[in-house]
Amino acid sequence: MSLNDHQYILYSKQMLLADVSEQGQLTLMKAEVTVVGVGGLGQLVAQYLAASGVGHVHLIDDDKVALSNLPRQLLFSANDIEVNKAQVAAKKLQQRNPDSQVSAHPTRLTSDNYQTLFNTISPQVIFDCSDNFATRQLINRIAVERHLPLFSAAISGDQGQWFAYLPESVLTKNPALNTKPHGCYHCVFPADSLLSQNCSQMGVLGPAVGIMASMQALAGMNHIIGRQVEFGVLHRFDAKRLSWSKATMAIDKHCCVCR
Amino acid sequence: MIEIYINGERHKLTANITLVEILALKQVAEQSVAVVVNQVIIPRSEWPHYQCQIGDQVEFFSAVAGG
């Protein structure tokens, strides 16, 4: 694979980064990724990935565009209301950048269908852009079972959280990643955790969602092009104070997912 | 007695107090939070026997799941 003249100009700003260069761009263009959830987080993650030339982007979501999505889900417009988000996003992103193949999977990811779905695709990383705790637990399990680096973000109200997780099976095989074993999402929040409020009951400001999605997309792209990523650290963002804090995700020796 | 910090506030508590005892003291339901001690998230299974030390910085926070 090599870049044509149009692609040299299109991706020039990315390739001007010394540690990205043409090699990094070609790596992005060979990458296959999965984005679960095409709402506030996912629609922006998907835009960054497809526009940067990531080879194949899978979008999984059964939800439809709603009027109340439009202030923060900027990929969608009023004409898209009541249409499946994964399909709308795939169509628009494919048109914007034909270098990236964008596939829509207009289905809800469940413990019953994920094996079938993931047997038909071959992502090298997974982005958790979902909007509920049960799906987040499932995606964490998929990352462990399928040996997929996970880039996860979430936001409700003014509180955002994101982390990158590398399954132990992956880091054992890739010592160059220079990462120590760390806890998974279930080690931090066991499946029986109680959330204070359902996200659908909470408000959120568009740029706050955008910040979390940008961090998630950036961490994932950094990993794909071979940059060092700090795995196993949960970052918390206070969108009111614009402040960040972080904490290491320790392994739960009794975790039923990653142990 | 030892001095520790809980969500940034200084507290004087009995030596060897565990994380479970701190949550009970603060009336926080165990299933509703993750607990950070000195910037490390301590798994819930360790809370009953995790004893706090002088100067520990303890924080609680809840999961958010929206997207």
Coordinates of all heavy atoms in Angstrom, one line a residue, chain A residues 167-214:
Chain A
P167 N -5.9 -5.8 27.7 CA -6.0 -7.1 28.3 C -4.6 -7.7 28.5 O -3.7 -7.5 27.7 CB -6.8 -7.9 27.3 CG -7.6 -6.9 26.5 CD -6.7 -5.7 26.4
E168 N -4.5 -8.5 29.6 CA -3.2 -9.0 29.9 C -2.7 -9.9 28.8 O -1.5 -10.0 28.6 CB -3.3 -9.8 31.2 CG -2.1 -9.8 32.0 CD -2.3 -10.2 33.5 OE1 -3.3 -9.8 34.1 OE2 -1.5 -10.9 34.1
S169 N -3.6 -10.6 28.1 CA -3.1 -11.5 27.0 C -2.4 -10.7 25.9 O -1.5 -11.2 25.3 CB -4.4 -12.2 26.4 OG -5.3 -11.2 25.9
V170 N -2.8 -9.4 25.7 CA -2.2 -8.6 24.7 C -0.9 -8.1 25.1 O 0.1 -8.1 24.4 CB -3.2 -7.4 24.3 CG1 -2.5 -6.6 23.2 CG2 -4.5 -7.9 23.8
L171 N -0.8 -7.6 26.4 CA 0.4 -7.0 26.8 C 1.5 -8.0 27.0 O 2.7 -7.8 26.9 CB 0.2 -6.1 28.1 CG -0.2 -6.7 29.4 CD1 1.0 -7.1 30.2 CD2 -1.0 -5.7 30.2
T172 N 1.1 -9.3 27.3 CA 2.1 -10.4 27.5 C 2.8 -10.6 26.1 O 4.0 -10.9 26.1 CB 1.4 -11.7 28.0 OG1 0.7 -11.3 29.2 CG2 2.4 -12.8 28.3
K173 N 2.0 -10.6 25.1 CA 2.5 -10.9 23.7 C 3.2 -9.7 23.1 O 3.9 -9.8 22.1 CB 1.4 -11.2 22.8 CG 0.8 -12.6 23.0 CD -0.3 -12.9 22.0 CE -0.9 -14.3 22.3 NZ -2.2 -14.5 21.6
N174 N 3.0 -8.5 23.7 CA 3.6 -7.2 23.2 C 4.4 -6.5 24.2 O 4.0 -5.4 24.7 CB 2.5 -6.4 22.6 CG 1.8 -7.0 21.5 OD1 2.2 -7.0 20.3 ND2 0.6 -7.6 21.8
P175 N 5.6 -7.0 24.6 CA 6.3 -6.3 25.7 C 6.7 -4.9 25.3 O 7.0 -4.1 26.2 CB 7.6 -7.2 25.9 CG 7.6 -8.2 24.7 CD 6.2 -8.3 24.2
A176 N 6.8 -4.6 24.0 CA 7.2 -3.3 23.5 C 6.2 -2.3 23.9 O 6.5 -1.1 23.9 CB 7.3 -3.3 22.0
L177 N 5.0 -2.7 24.3 CA 3.9 -1.7 24.7 C 4.3 -1.1 26.0 O 3.7 -0.1 26.5 CB 2.6 -2.4 24.7 CG 2.0 -2.7 23.3 CD1 0.7 -3.5 23.5 CD2 1.7 -1.5 22.5
N178 N 5.2 -1.8 26.7 CA 5.7 -1.2 28.0 C 4.6 -0.9 29.0 O 4.6 0.2 29.5 CB 6.5 0.0 27.7 CG 7.4 0.5 28.8 OD1 7.8 -0.4 29.7 ND2 7.7 1.8 28.9
T179 N 3.7 -1.9 29.2 CA 2.6 -1.7 30.0 C 2.5 -2.8 31.1 O 2.7 -3.9 30.8 CB 1.3 -1.7 29.2 OG1 1.3 -0.6 28.2 CG2 0.0 -1.6 30.0
K180 N 2.3 -2.4 32.3 CA 2.1 -3.4 33.4 C 0.7 -3.8 33.5 O -0.2 -3.1 33.1 CB 2.5 -2.7 34.7 CG 4.0 -2.4 34.9 CD 4.3 -1.7 36.2 CE 5.7 -1.3 36.3 NZ 6.0 -0.4 37.4
P181 N 0.5 -5.1 33.9 CA -0.9 -5.5 34.1 C -1.7 -4.6 35.0 O -1.2 -4.0 35.9 CB -0.7 -6.9 34.8 CG 0.6 -7.3 34.4 CD 1.5 -6.1 34.3
H182 N -3.0 -4.4 34.6 CA -3.8 -3.5 35.4 C -5.3 -4.0 35.4 O -5.6 -4.9 34.7 CB -3.8 -2.1 34.7 CG -3.9 -2.1 33.2 ND1 -2.9 -2.2 32.4 CD2 -5.0 -2.1 32.4 CE1 -3.3 -2.2 31.1 NE2 -4.6 -2.2 31.1
G183 N -6.1 -3.3 36.2 CA -7.5 -3.8 36.3 C -8.3 -3.4 35.1 O -8.0 -2.5 34.3
C184 N -9.4 -4.2 35.0 CA -10.4 -3.9 33.9 C -11.5 -3.1 34.5 O -11.5 -2.7 35.6 CB -10.9 -5.3 33.3 SG -12.0 -6.2 34.4
Y185 N -12.5 -2.8 33.6 CA -13.6 -2.0 34.1 C -14.4 -2.7 35.2 O -14.8 -2.0 36.2 CB -14.6 -1.8 32.9 CG -15.7 -0.9 33.1 CD1 -15.5 0.5 33.4 CD2 -17.0 -1.3 33.0 CE1 -16.6 1.3 33.6 CE2 -18.1 -0.5 33.2 CZ -17.9 0.9 33.5 OH -18.9 1.7 33.7
H186 N -14.5 -4.0 35.1 CA -15.2 -4.8 36.2 C -14.4 -4.7 37.5 O -15.0 -4.8 38.6 CB -15.4 -6.2 35.7 CG -16.3 -7.0 36.6 ND1 -15.9 -7.6 37.7 CD2 -17.7 -7.2 36.5 CE1 -16.9 -8.2 38.3 NE2 -18.0 -8.0 37.6
C187 N -13.1 -4.6 37.4 CA -12.3 -4.5 38.7 C -12.6 -3.2 39.4 O -12.6 -3.2 40.6 CB -10.8 -4.5 38.4 SG -10.1 -6.1 37.7
V188 N -12.9 -2.2 38.6 CA -13.2 -0.9 39.2 C -14.7 -0.8 39.6 O -15.0 -0.4 40.7 CB -12.9 0.3 38.2 CG1 -13.3 1.6 38.7 CG2 -11.4 0.2 37.8
F189 N -15.5 -1.2 38.7 CA -17.0 -1.2 38.9 C -17.5 -2.6 38.7 O -17.9 -2.9 37.6 CB -17.7 -0.2 38.0 CG -17.3 1.2 38.2 CD1 -16.6 1.9 37.2 CD2 -17.5 1.9 39.4 CE1 -16.2 3.3 37.3 CE2 -17.2 3.2 39.5 CZ -16.5 3.9 38.5
P190 N -17.6 -3.4 39.7 CA -18.2 -4.7 39.6 C -19.6 -4.6 39.0 O -20.3 -3.5 39.1 CB -18.2 -5.3 41.0 CG -17.1 -4.6 41.7 CD -17.1 -3.2 41.1
A191 N -20.1 -5.7 38.4 CA -21.4 -5.6 37.7 C -22.6 -5.3 38.5 O -23.6 -4.8 38.0 CB -21.6 -7.0 37.0
D192 N -22.5 -5.5 39.8 CA -23.6 -5.1 40.7 C -23.5 -3.7 41.3 O -24.3 -3.4 42.2 CB -23.7 -6.1 41.9 CG -22.5 -6.1 42.8 OD1 -21.5 -5.4 42.4 OD2 -22.5 -6.8 43.8
S193 N -22.6 -2.9 40.7 CA -22.5 -1.5 41.1 C -23.8 -0.7 40.8 O -24.5 -1.0 39.9 CB -21.4 -0.8 40.4 OG -20.1 -1.4 40.7
L194 N -24.1 0.2 41.7 CA -25.3 1.0 41.6 C -24.9 2.4 41.0 O -23.9 3.0 41.6 CB -26.0 1.2 42.9 CG -26.4 -0.1 43.6 CD1 -26.8 0.2 45.0 CD2 -27.5 -0.8 42.8
L195 N -25.5 2.8 40.0 CA -25.2 4.2 39.5 C -26.2 5.2 40.1 O -27.4 4.8 40.3 CB -25.4 4.2 37.9 CG -24.1 3.8 37.2 CD1 -23.7 2.4 37.4 CD2 -24.3 4.1 35.7
S196 N -25.7 6.3 40.4 CA -26.6 7.3 41.2 C -27.7 7.7 40.3 O -28.8 7.8 40.8 CB -25.7 8.5 41.6 OG -25.1 9.1 40.5
Q197 N -27.5 7.9 39.0 CA -28.6 8.4 38.2 C -28.4 7.8 36.8 O -27.3 7.7 36.3 CB -28.7 9.9 38.1 CG -29.4 10.5 39.2 CD -29.5 12.0 39.0 OE1 -28.5 12.7 39.1 NE2 -30.7 12.5 38.8
N198 N -29.5 7.4 36.2 CA -29.5 7.0 34.8 C -29.1 8.1 33.9 O -29.6 9.3 34.1 CB -31.0 6.5 34.5 CG -31.1 6.0 33.1 OD1 -30.7 6.6 32.2 ND2 -31.7 4.8 33.0
C199 N -28.3 7.8 32.8 CA -27.8 8.9 32.0 C -29.0 9.6 31.3 O -28.9 10.8 31.0 CB -26.8 8.4 31.0 SG -27.4 7.2 29.9
S200 N -30.1 8.9 31.0 CA -31.1 9.6 30.3 C -31.8 10.6 31.1 O -32.6 11.5 30.6 CB -32.2 8.5 29.8 OG -32.7 7.9 30.9
Q201 N -31.6 10.5 32.5 CA -32.2 11.5 33.4 C -31.3 12.7 33.6 O -31.7 13.7 34.2 CB -32.5 10.9 34.7 CG -33.4 9.7 34.7 CD -33.4 8.9 36.0 OE1 -32.4 8.8 36.6 NE2 -34.6 8.4 36.3
M202 N -30.1 12.6 33.1 CA -29.1 13.7 33.3 C -28.9 14.6 32.1 O -29.0 14.1 31.0 CB -27.7 13.1 33.6 CG -27.7 12.1 34.8 SD -27.8 13.0 36.4 CE -26.0 13.5 36.5
G203 N -28.7 15.8 32.3 CA -28.4 16.7 31.2 C -26.9 16.6 30.9 O -26.1 16.0 31.6
V204 N -26.5 17.2 29.8 CA -25.1 17.3 29.4 C -24.9 18.4 28.4 O -25.8 18.7 27.6 CB -24.6 15.9 28.9 CG1 -25.2 15.6 27.5 CG2 -23.1 15.8 28.9
L205 N -23.7 19.0 28.4 CA -23.4 20.0 27.4 C -22.6 19.4 26.3 O -21.7 18.6 26.6 CB -22.6 21.2 28.1 CG -23.5 22.1 29.0 CD1 -22.6 23.1 29.8 CD2 -24.6 22.8 28.3
G206 N -22.8 19.8 25.1 CA -22.2 19.2 23.9 C -20.7 19.2 24.0 O -20.0 18.2 23.8
P207 N -20.0 20.4 24.3 CA -18.6 20.3 24.4 C -18.0 19.4 25.4 O -16.9 18.8 25.2 CB -18.2 21.8 24.7 CG -19.4 22.6 24.3 CD -20.6 21.7 24.5
A208 N -18.7 19.2 26.5 CA -18.2 18.2 27.5 C -18.2 16.8 26.9 O -17.2 16.1 27.1 CB -19.1 18.3 28.7
V209 N -19.2 16.4 26.2 CA -19.2 15.1 25.5 C -18.0 15.1 24.5 O -17.3 14.1 24.4 CB -20.5 14.9 24.8 CG1 -20.6 13.4 24.3 CG2 -21.7 15.1 25.7
G210 N -17.9 16.2 23.8 CA -16.8 16.3 22.8 C -15.4 16.1 23.4 O -14.6 15.4 22.7
I211 N -15.2 16.6 24.5 CA -13.9 16.5 25.2 C -13.6 15.0 25.5 O -12.5 14.5 25.2 CB -13.8 17.3 26.5 CG1 -13.7 18.8 26.1 CG2 -12.7 16.8 27.4 CD1 -13.9 19.7 27.2
M212 N -14.6 14.3 26.0 CA -14.4 12.9 26.4 C -14.2 12.1 25.1 O -13.3 11.2 25.1 CB -15.6 12.4 27.2 CG -15.9 13.1 28.4 SD -14.5 13.5 29.5 CE -14.0 11.8 30.0
A213 N -15.0 12.3 24.1 CA -14.9 11.6 22.8 C -13.5 11.9 22.2 O -12.9 11.0 21.6 CB -16.0 12.0 21.9
S214 N -13.0 13.1 22.3 CA -11.7 13.5 21.7 C -10.6 12.7 22.4 O -9.7 12.3 21.7 CB -11.5 15.0 21.7 OG -12.5 15.6 21.0

